[in-house]
Amino acid sequence: MALRLGKELLYLCGAEVAHVGPSMEESLAAIREAFRQKGLGVAQQPPKTALHPVNEDAFLHAMPAYVPEFGAAGVKWVSGYPDNPPMHGLPYISGLLVLSDVYTGMPIAVMDCAWITAQRTGAVSGLAAQALAAPASVTAGLLGAGVQARTQLLALATAIPTLRSARVYDVAANAANRFVKDMGAVLPQFSLQIVDSAEAAVRDADIVVTAGPIRKEPQPLVRREWLKPGALGLPIDFDSMWTRSALGAGRYYVDDLEQYRYYEAQGYFRESPQPVGDLGDLSTGRVEGRQSADEVIVAMNLGVAIADMAMAAIVYQRALAAGTGTVLPL
Ligand SMILES: NC(=O)c1ccc[n+]([C@@H]2O[C@H](COP(=O)([O-])OP(=O)(O)OC[C@H]3O[C@@H](n4cnc5c(N)ncnc54)[C@H](O)[C@@H]3O)[C@@H](O)[C@H]2O)c1
């Protein structure tokens, strides 16, 4: 399929994006390269801009980025509405992504962004785990068993070949049950266990992922003494579930320092420790990763548009090659 630049764009619905989307292994490689470009200073990514129409915990984010190696320039317009799943039967995360032609600025694609968001958020945690997890990590502890938790576990299983088991806690028992059923089919080699408290999921876990609702006023659960020596914490829900002492238990990394500072200025992360660096710095070797098998590390992943655009460029090219999607007039 070929598009007439300036006359047409490609529209991809969620199922089409998922159909042509890269595997987790390919996604990890793409995300690694996107962070390297950010670390080298050649990718552009202003901090995301937020609207909060109904309350502080519901958001609409505009997330632009340019990643030269992928020929990708665009913006993701993504919402996070915590009440959607329980009250409306709608997903927490939804939105669209627009890609523009780098040389002329003409729009070339509009696509659903839910699959890309989940896949790249998993891959970012996978990348962080490759750099920061203790050697021979075996067990993951997951708080929150929703959409993101699935790709978090898939990415960790792909990135850390020694990982073999996961304990999962969700306030909604049916969410944990569905998670174990779905992920048991995807990762048959894994031992998956539902536990009845956050503490039971976190204690003795080598890698702890928290994927519950983001709250501007955190309701911390994870305590310092629950984290075993050498544990890696991977919050994708800001500091909503983490006590100050757990976040500061050891060295603290973020996915993008500039964006993190912007969020601090907005009133988030008031009690949080100072980051030693970000994933761009780690990927270029500007900051060091894990120093000992026993140190506790937390890597906070707020979500970066460079990752979205890298993934979207791959999806776009594969959709064109496969003749997938709908060509719309501009
Ligand atoms: N950092 C990023 O790049 C990024 C990207 C996408 C989503 N997110 C965030 O990830 C989080 C999860 O998103 P999702 O799409 O999986 O939502 P989801 O609604 O599908 O899943 C969230 C799950 O958390 C559970 N939960 C709520 N409170 C809990 C608690 N106290 N303890 C344990 N479980 C609890 C809910 O029952 C639900 O099953 C959201 O905060 C979202 O904003 C972050």
Side-chain angles (χ1 to χ4, degrees):
M1 186 192 294
L3 283 184
R4 289 182 300 142
L5 185 66
K7 305 274 186 224
E8 297 168 335
L9 63 75
L10 184 66
Y11 175 73
L12 296 168
C13 72
E16 289 165 338
V17 172
H19 182 64
V20 298
S23 69
M24 189 52 86
E25 212 163 314
E26 292 168 326
S27 302
L28 273 163
I31 298 307
R32 185 177 299 112
E33 178 57 24
F35 273 105
R36 200 181 68 86
Q37 297 217 350
K38 181 75 171 57
L40 293 173
V42 294
Q44 299 174 20
Q45 181 194 267
K48 45 185 136 183
T49 305
L51 302 176
H52 300 283
V54 292
N55 60 53
E56 279 195 323
D57 292 338
F59 64 78
L60 286 150
H61 284 160
M63 301 177 63
Y66 168 49
V67 195
E69 181 72 16
F70 292 85
V75 62
K76 184 170 81 166
W77 179 236
V78 62
S79 68
Y81 275 59
D83 292 339
N84 269 3
M87 292 179 63
H88 306 295
L90 292 170
Y92 189 129
I93 297 289
S94 68
L96 293 171
L97 189 152
V98 179
L99 278 182
S100 295
D101 176 61
V102 169
Y103 300 104
T104 61
M106 299 307 298
I108 52 174
V110 174
M111 62 186 81
D112 187 279
C113 77
W115 186 89
I116 284 178
T117 299
Q119 185 81 354
R120 67 74 153 142
T121 306
V124 175
S125 286
L127 185 68
Q130 280 177 332
L132 300 172
S137 290
V138 174
T139 302
L142 303 168
L143 303 190
V147 173
Q148 309 306 321
R150 287 160 165 73
T151 44
Q152 291 292 308
L153 187 58
L154 176 60
L156 292 176
T158 308
I160 308 291
T162 51
L163 209 67
R164 277 288 169 272
S165 65
R167 285 192 295 269
V168 55
Y169 170 69
D170 197 297
V171 281
N174 59 346
N177 287 329
R178 279 199 307 272
F179 178 87
V180 166
K181 185 165 170 282
D182 294 349
M183 294 311 291
V186 177
L187 297 170
Q189 76 278 22
F190 256 66
S191 153
L192 298 172
Q193 187 192 354
I194 298 172
V195 292
D196 60 9
S197 71
E199 181 175 356
V202 172
R203 273 202 194 270
D204 288 329
D206 298 300
I207 300 177
V208 177
V209 174
T210 60
I214 291 176
R215 302 184 199 284
K216 189 155 189 184
E217 296 302 329
Q219 300 177 358
L221 283 171
V222 179
R223 302 168 72 94
R224 168 73 186 91
E225 59 269 26
W226 297 356
L227 297 168
K228 71 183 270 194
L232 170 65
L234 295 172
I236 64 162
D237 45 7
F238 286 36
D239 53 355
S240 306
M241 287 206 190
W242 292 73
T243 59
R244 164 80 176 81
S245 61
L247 273 189
R251 280 179 313 143
Y252 178 59
Y253 296 80
V254 295
D255 52 358
D256 179 52
L257 258 181
E258 188 188 349
Q259 181 164 265
Y260 186 80
R261 298 283 182 231
Y262 174 82
Y263 268 91
E264 279 184 320
Q266 303 292 309
Y268 292 86
F269 305 111
R270 286 190 293 268
E271 301 278 306
S272 301
Q274 280 307 304
V276 294
D278 65 23
L279 293 185
D281 293 330
L282 264 177
S283 66
T284 57
R286 205 176 305 131
V287 300
E288 290 179 322
R290 174 172 288 276
Q291 301 294 295
S292 76
D294 275 359
E295 71 172 323
V296 174
I297 292 178
V298 175
M300 175 74 67
N301 165 13
L302 304 191
V304 287
I306 50 165
D308 295 307
M309 294 316 136
M311 297 284 289
I314 297 171
V315 165
Y316 173 69
Q317 291 300 341
R318 291 188 179 182
L320 283 184
T324 299
T326 306
V327 176
L328 297 175
L330 277 176

